[in-house]
């Protein structure tokens, strides 16, 4: 159930789109100010996940900060409008050596989180270690290993390039793996509330 509760008289869509041809749509985001990776995945079941869109939003470093954030805002808004995801999964960065980079990532993340919430999407944040563990089976996986696993899981001819797109797909795949457990937990909690 969205936000862990069920309102009386409101119909909720099943997790894997049973009775729907669209399945469960996830927008994965690898936030960044210069390069913001995105991936739109469709999950019909835990074994049937396909990529609907993969790419990178690029903003020129010569533009002002407000212009760059405005471009990211516009592109994320378009992705939300075009694909109407059920969930948005975004990488949560805990540590960054470069303060300027950390600020840009944080600002881009804030835009995505706010737009996803306003669009009514379920919003999830995952650390890089959670993503690597879930997708590659090891929290220390390299970018190449993540790209290879994304390629295999999504049945792509090659690993997505640049790495920001592969990372966004890995974040979405992480959510595909974790979301069913969260839904089961929430349903069990709701049964216990009755």
């Amino acid at each position: 159930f969205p936000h862990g509760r069920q309102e009386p008289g409101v119909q909720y869509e099943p997790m894997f789109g049973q009775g729907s041809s669209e399945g469960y749509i996830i927008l994965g985001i690898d936030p960044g100010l210069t390069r913001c990776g995105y991936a739109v995945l469709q999950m019909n079941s835990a074994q049937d996940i396909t990529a609907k869109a993969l790419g990178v939003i690029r903003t020129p470093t010569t533009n002002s900060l407000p212009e760059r954030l405005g471009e990211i805002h516009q592109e994320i808004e378009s992705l939300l409008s075009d694909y109407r995801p059920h969930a948005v999964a975004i990488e949560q960065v805990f540590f960054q050596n470069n303060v300027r980079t950390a600020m840009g990532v944080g600002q881009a993340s804030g835009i995505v989180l706010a737009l996803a919430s306003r669009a009514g999407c379920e919003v999830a944040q995952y650390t890089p270690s959670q993503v690597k563990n879930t997708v590659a089976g090891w929290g220390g996986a390299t970018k190449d290993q993540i790209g290879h696993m994304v390629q295999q899981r999504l049945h792509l001819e090659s690993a997505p390039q640049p790495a920001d797109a592969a990372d966004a797909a890995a974040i979405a795949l992480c959510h595909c793996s974790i979301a069913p457990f969260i839904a089961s937990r929430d349903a069990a909690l709701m049964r216990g509330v009755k």
Side-chain angles (χ1 to χ4, degrees):
F1 303 114
H3 311 293
R5 65 182 188 279
Q6 182 173 6
E7 302 291 330
V10 176
Q11 297 291 319
Y12 290 93
E13 293 183 35
M15 179 65 163
F16 297 115
Q18 294 121 347
S20 165
S21 62
E22 283 212 20
Y24 185 75
I25 307 296
I26 303 98
L27 171 60
I29 298 289
D30 180 30
L33 188 55
T34 302
R35 289 181 321 277
C36 183
Y38 67 88
V40 180
L41 304 186
Q42 177 177 320
M43 180 170 66
N44 297 311
S45 73
Q47 291 75 36
D48 182 11
I49 303 170
T50 56
K52 294 175 73 89
L54 287 166
V56 173
I57 301 164
R58 296 178 189 272
T59 65
T61 57
T62 54
N63 288 4
S64 70
L65 177 63
E67 288 174 317
R68 296 172 77 189
L69 292 172
E71 290 174 38
I72 292 170
H73 183 283
Q74 183 177 356
E75 293 298 325
I76 296 296
E77 203 168 45
S78 291
L79 287 168
L80 291 168
S81 173
D82 291 349
Y83 293 100
R84 300 174 44 123
H86 298 90
V88 175
I90 185 167
E91 185 176 81
Q92 181 178 27
V93 179
F94 283 124
F95 176 75
Q96 190 67 254
N97 286 328
N98 183 329
V99 173
R100 188 172 184 176
T101 300
M103 289 293 291
V105 170
Q107 290 165 325
S109 293
I111 287 170
V112 174
L113 293 170
L115 288 171
S117 177
R118 290 199 55 154
C121 299
E122 171 189 342
V123 180
Q125 295 182 59
Y126 300 102
T127 66
S129 294
Q130 286 176 304
V131 173
K132 291 174 182 181
N133 249 338
T134 304
V135 174
W138 178 52
T142 66
K143 292 267 187 201
D144 286 343
Q145 289 169 326
I146 293 296
H148 180 72
M149 291 306 295
V150 166
Q151 175 187 354
Q152 291 215 320
R153 294 273 312 269
L154 297 177
H155 310 289
L156 303 172
E157 290 182 20
S158 61
Q161 292 294 325
D164 307 274
D167 289 348
I171 293 160
L173 283 168
C174 177
H175 188 69
C176 288
S177 295
I178 293 173
F181 295 107
I182 293 169
S184 294
R185 179 202 65 200
D186 290 351
L189 288 172
M190 289 304 301
R191 284 191 302 273
V193 170
K194 291 181 182 179

